[in-house]
């Protein structure tokens, strides 16, 4: 059984070209060079690269891990060549602007490719992903000199990039950051300690460009007083050449449950007070600038959830087709009955359907959100730009939390499908379970995402973004309520959507009455509920698109009778794909979205007991 | 140097081919890729071009869909492509004739070809092409060294039980074996550039008269399902069974 990374290319293409219809973008001047055929080829070649170059290093990297020695960090031996090949082949910065050496592709395409690269090797992709995100922040907010000095080298992958936020005493609470910046002879010098810095030190690049949150002398307390600095490991001269060591040392690396090959570093800035830093933007702008980077990083973490959960699903599917065990239940009394592949057993099918629905739904949510960002950046219609940017911001915490939670759920279901074998190092699923768990924790824990959704995003602009989304969903319901294949599910879905609206309104009232604790107690189930409705909408939309495509295919092949249709579905891969899509939507609505009923009830219960228990002693 | 690398499209490696009851291949849902041995030919052509300068032309015979595989060669770095257009399946000699016409038109210094295509595994076209052109050929190359004056090449050929080193004057036909190189992956900028590269199409009628087909496929059959094995008690019993079943 192969350990090779798997990605459902047909599903990625379906979401991009049949559901979202991103080809709309190719009419815009920025993307007029692209055609559907190009993107299909890029996706296929990208997948080939992931499977043949990155995937073989994934298990090796997990076994070997990173090594720290005297301030230096050594990446797994197999990584250097793979990383170099990735950079040279231009897969480093797919959606970065061409001005800086990126490939200038739509975000939606970059996200589809991003899923493959993260899935094929999540540890190595951390290094590449953070470098790209840091480069993009510098490209957007840096001075012309900074852009010239850093951005091209980073986009080419020759230099790394990091985001340095966390300190031992300041994790979620960034306001407690104590790293300080002092001004001396017109230059900033930074002193302080950062922890959990992914890619903070390693031997795959010549220099590492850190983006560091620090507080200037005399600045305001809290997050408001933070400023953002760019601090290279080696100083860079005006000619772009590497200069002297900039007093950034790696004091150690963490030993983790998963993503073992990603160097998670403790960094000390200015141990000898010689750590030069340049300010990005102006003083006390740091947290706002950093959030720019964090939003794209959060979509990236959602992609990690789907990338790994979806690979686990495809592995489990292959395993279930080949593992033969027990006859079918209807033949169980027949001693001569043949054992069948476990894919025939209903409980295994339940697990496969759950993984399929969650991961295809998550992929759709992530690509939809990325497409919103494309239109927010490039649509000629100002109203659409504003509306879809707000939509993407509303969806960002859901992308991060819903997709990382369900990615972990899918991975554990995949392991369960393997039975005892899944628990062994001999199969790739246990590594996936360990590697994907971090996604619900870093880039703001999923609890923080729920607070962000409920406390900031839903109420923003007087709730108009939320209401506009509900309006779009209602339009879909009204248009499709008599759908021949999905009418019943759409009616059921309409009820869940109303429950979400009612729950949201209740929170608003509670907050207005001054009760903050109770909404916070319910924020996590609320995010799941919201994510389920968003994903339910997108999966139903997929079902409607697939149904129409299947009808066209049946008409083309003159499959008019029920029997001819069954034969078509049995015989034709496209027909089977579409038919499965319709059934996936049905399953999600009836089996998974029904969780919302339970969550709405617990939120409405008013039970405050967790607030009143004496956990403190 | 002007180098032609020929390629054929073959079904993706993990494809399970289906047959009609009449024994014809069902091809309407088959996904194709560049024949793996031809990928080695493209790679070697690029390496030689990058050393000596010149251009690499990817050449194929086949229907419009083959443009996709030629595009892959362009994305890897070939400079332009030529496709001899035909919807008809050609036998090896006909293919060699079509290729010969296109090669004569280009008059390259070197033609690199896969040693065989993994679908039919005939391995005949390169030799026929060499014969038609009257060129020398070296087969199953695991190393190709073009002389500094570009007039000849020293080729290490994989033969049964060892290696044979031959020298050919150029122009020549060289076929690739697995150990020759590791084909590069198309780079992202390479893919985006590929579609702007010239891609010529020559109608089959323009390559001149083809010979009548000398080989045609009557039917395909799948292998019969494997019979269940049986454990025998002794060598004598085994010999006995083989004899009675007339297997020896």
């Amino acid at each position: 059984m192969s350990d090779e990374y798997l990605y459902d290319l047909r599903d990625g293409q379906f979401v991009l070209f049949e559901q979202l219809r991103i080809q709309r973008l190719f009419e815009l001047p920025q993307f007029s060079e692209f055609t559907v055929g190009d993107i299909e080829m890029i996706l296929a070649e990208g997948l080939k690269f992931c499977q043949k170059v990155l995937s073989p290093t994934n298990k090796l990297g997990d076994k070997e891990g990173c090594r720290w020695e005297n301030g230096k960090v050594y990446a797994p031996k197999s990584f250097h060549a793979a990383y170099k090949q990735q950079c040279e082949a231009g897969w480093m910065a797919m959606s970065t602007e061409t001005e800086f050496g990126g490939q200038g592709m739509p975000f939606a395409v970059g996200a589809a490719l991003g899923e493959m690269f993260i899935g094929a090797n999540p540890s190595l992709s951390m290094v590449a992903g953070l470098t790209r995100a840091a480069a993009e922040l510098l490209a957007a907010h840096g001075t012309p000199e900074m852009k010239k000095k850093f951005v091209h080298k980073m986009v080419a992958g020759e230099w790394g990039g990091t985001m340095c936020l966390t300190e031992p005493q300041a994790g979620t609470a960034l306001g407690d950051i104590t790293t300080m910046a002092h001004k001396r002879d017109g230059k900033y010098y930074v002193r302080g300690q950062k922890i959990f810095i992914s890619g903070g030190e390693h031997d795959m690049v010549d220099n590492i460009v850190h983006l560091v949150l620090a507080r200037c002398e005399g600045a305001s307390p809290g997050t408001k007083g933070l400023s953002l600095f760019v601090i290279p490991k080696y100083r860079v001269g005006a000619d772009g050449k590497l200069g002297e060591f900039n007093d950034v040392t790696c004091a150690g690396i963490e030993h983790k449950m998963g993503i073992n090959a990603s160097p998670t570093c403790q960094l000390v800035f200015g141990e000898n007070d010689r750590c030069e830093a340049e300010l990005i933007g102006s003083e006390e702008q740091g947290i706002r600038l950093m959030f720019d980077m964090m939003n794209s990083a959060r979509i990236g973490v959602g992609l990690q959830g789907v990338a790994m959960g979806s690979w686990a699903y495809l592995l489990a599917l292959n395993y279930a087709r080949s593992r033969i065990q027990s006859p079918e239940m209807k033949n169980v009394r027949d001693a001569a009955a043949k054992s069948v592949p476990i894919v025939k057993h209903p409980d295994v099918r339940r697990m496969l359907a759950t993984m399929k629905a969650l991961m295809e739904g998550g992929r759709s949510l992530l690509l939809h959100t990325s497409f919103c960002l494309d239109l927010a950046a490039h649509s000629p219609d100002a109203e659409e730009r504003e509306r879809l940017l707000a939509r993407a911001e509303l969806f960002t915490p859901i992308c991060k939390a819903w997709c990382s939670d369900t990615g972990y759920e899918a991975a554990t279901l995949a392991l369960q499908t393997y039975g005892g074998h899944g628990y062994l190092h001999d199969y790739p699923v246990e590594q996936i379970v360990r590697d994907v768990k971090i996604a619900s924790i870093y880039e703001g824990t999923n609890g923080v995402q729920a607070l962000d959704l409920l406390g900031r995003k839903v109420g923003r602009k007087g709730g108009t973004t939320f209401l506009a989304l509900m309006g779009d969903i209602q339009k879909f319901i009204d248009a499709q309520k008599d759908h021949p294949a999905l009418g019943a599910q759409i009616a059921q879905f309409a009820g869940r959507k109303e429950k979400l609206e009612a729950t949201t309104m209740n929170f608003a009232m509670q907050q207005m009455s001054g009760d903050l604790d109770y909404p916070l107690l319910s924020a996590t189930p609320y995010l799941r509920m919201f994510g389920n409705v968003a994903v339910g909408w997108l999966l139903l939309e997929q079902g409607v698109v697939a149904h129409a495509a299947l009808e066209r295919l049946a008409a083309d092949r003159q499959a008019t009778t029920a029997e001819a249709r069954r034969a078509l579905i049995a015989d034709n891969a496209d027909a089977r794909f579409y038919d499965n899509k319709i059934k996936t939507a049905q399953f999600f609505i009836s089996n998974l979205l029904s969780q919302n009923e339970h969550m709405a009830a617990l939120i409405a219960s008013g039970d405050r007991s967790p607030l009143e228990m004496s956990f403190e002693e | 140097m002007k180098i032609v690398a020929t390629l054929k499209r073959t079904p993706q490696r993990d494809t399970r081919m289906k047959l009609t009851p009449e024994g014809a291949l069902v091809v309407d849902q088959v996904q194709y890729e560049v024949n793996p041995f031809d990928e080695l030919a493209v790679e070697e052509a690029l390496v030689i071009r990058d050393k000596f300068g010149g251009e690499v032309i990817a050449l194929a015979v086949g229907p419009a869909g083959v443009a996709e595989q030629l595009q892959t060669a362009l994305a890897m770095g070939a400079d332009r492509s030529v496709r001899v257009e035909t919807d008809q399946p050609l036998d090896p000699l006909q293919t060699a004739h079509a290729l010969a016409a296109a090669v004569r038109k280009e008059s390259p210094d070197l033609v690199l070809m896969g040693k065989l295509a993994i679908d039919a595994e005939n391995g005949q076209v390169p030799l026929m092409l060499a014969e038609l052109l009257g060129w020398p050929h070296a087969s199953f190359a695991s190393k190709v060294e073009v002389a500094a004056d570009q007039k000849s090449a020293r080729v290490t050929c994989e033969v049964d039980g060892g290696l044979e080193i031959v020298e050919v004057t150029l122009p020549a036909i060289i076929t690739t074996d697995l150990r020759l190189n590791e084909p590069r992956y198309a780079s992202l900028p390479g893919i985006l550039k590929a579609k702007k590269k010239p891609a010529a199409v020559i109608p089959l009628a323009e390559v001149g008269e083809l010979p009548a087909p000398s080989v045609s496929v009557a039917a395909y059959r799948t292998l019969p399902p494997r019979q269940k094995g049986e454990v025998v008690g002794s060598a004598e019993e085994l010999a006995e069974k083989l004899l009675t079943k007339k297997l020896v």
Side-chain angles (χ1 to χ4, degrees), chain A residues 189-263:
Chain A
Y189 289 85
V190 164
R191 288 189 77 154
Q193 194 196 352
K194 296 282 177 181
I195 60 165
F196 295 173
I197 308 308
S198 299
E201 166 64 27
H202 60 86
D203 60 345
M204 292 188 286
V205 291
D206 301 330
N207 199 6
I208 298 179
V209 181
H210 305 285
L211 301 185
V212 182
L213 277 182
R215 202 179 298 281
C216 294
E217 277 173 306
S220 325
T223 51
K224 203 173 145 284
L226 297 172
S227 302
L228 185 61
F229 293 91
V230 53
I231 304 181
K233 173 171 138 190
Y234 292 103
R235 293 181 193 169
V236 181
D239 56 357
K241 292 227 169 75
L242 289 188
E244 64 182 297
F245 180 63
N246 197 25
D247 199 9
V248 182
T249 30
C250 176
I253 56 173
E254 308 299 339
H255 302 280
K256 310 186 293 292
M257 167 180 171
I259 55 167
N260 283 328
S262 165

Side-chain angles (χ1 to χ4, degrees), chain B residues 14-142:
Chain B
D14 50 1
T15 308
R16 237 181 269 166
M17 298 300 292
K18 285 189 202 156
L19 299 183
T20 64
E22 297 76 39
L25 289 174
V26 179
V27 291
D28 70 335
Q29 287 181 59
V30 170
Q31 305 272 327
Y32 292 96
E33 63 183 4
V34 178
N35 171 41
F37 288 103
D38 295 340
E39 248 183 351
L40 302 170
V42 174
E43 174 65 31
E44 197 63 19
L46 297 174
V47 169
I48 297 172
R49 177 202 63 189
D50 292 348
K51 188 166 171 197
F52 292 99
E55 67 168 342
V56 171
I57 302 144
L59 169 64
V61 180
V66 179
E68 213 178 291
Q69 282 69 44
L70 286 168
Q71 190 87 352
T72 303
L74 295 175
M76 286 171 73
D79 300 283
R80 58 190 174 89
S81 70
V82 175
R83 179 169 62 86
V84 180
E85 164 96 39
T86 173
D87 287 334
Q88 296 306 312
L90 303 183
D91 77 4
L93 189 58
Q94 290 176 314
T95 306
H97 270 275
L99 287 173
V103 169
R104 279 193 199 103
K105 214 166 139 187
E106 294 289 350
S107 61
D109 302 296
L110 178 62
V111 175
L112 285 156
M113 309 175 80
K115 71 169 181 182
L116 54 78
I118 60 163
D119 49 2
E121 296 201 333
N122 287 323
Q124 297 175 354
V125 174
L127 306 183
M128 290 172 168
L129 178 60
E131 188 62 27
L132 290 174
L133 294 169
W135 289 5
H137 70 81
S139 298
F140 316 142
S142 62

Side-chain angles (χ1 to χ4, degrees), chain A residues 33 38 52 89 571-573, chain B residues 29 71 185 187-189 195-196:
Chain A
E33 297 266 294
D38 296 339
K52 303 300 173 202
D571 191 49
N572 181 295
Chain B
Q29 287 181 59
Q71 190 87 352
Y185 295 95
S187 74
L188 187 45
K195 62 176 177 166
K196 293 182 185 150

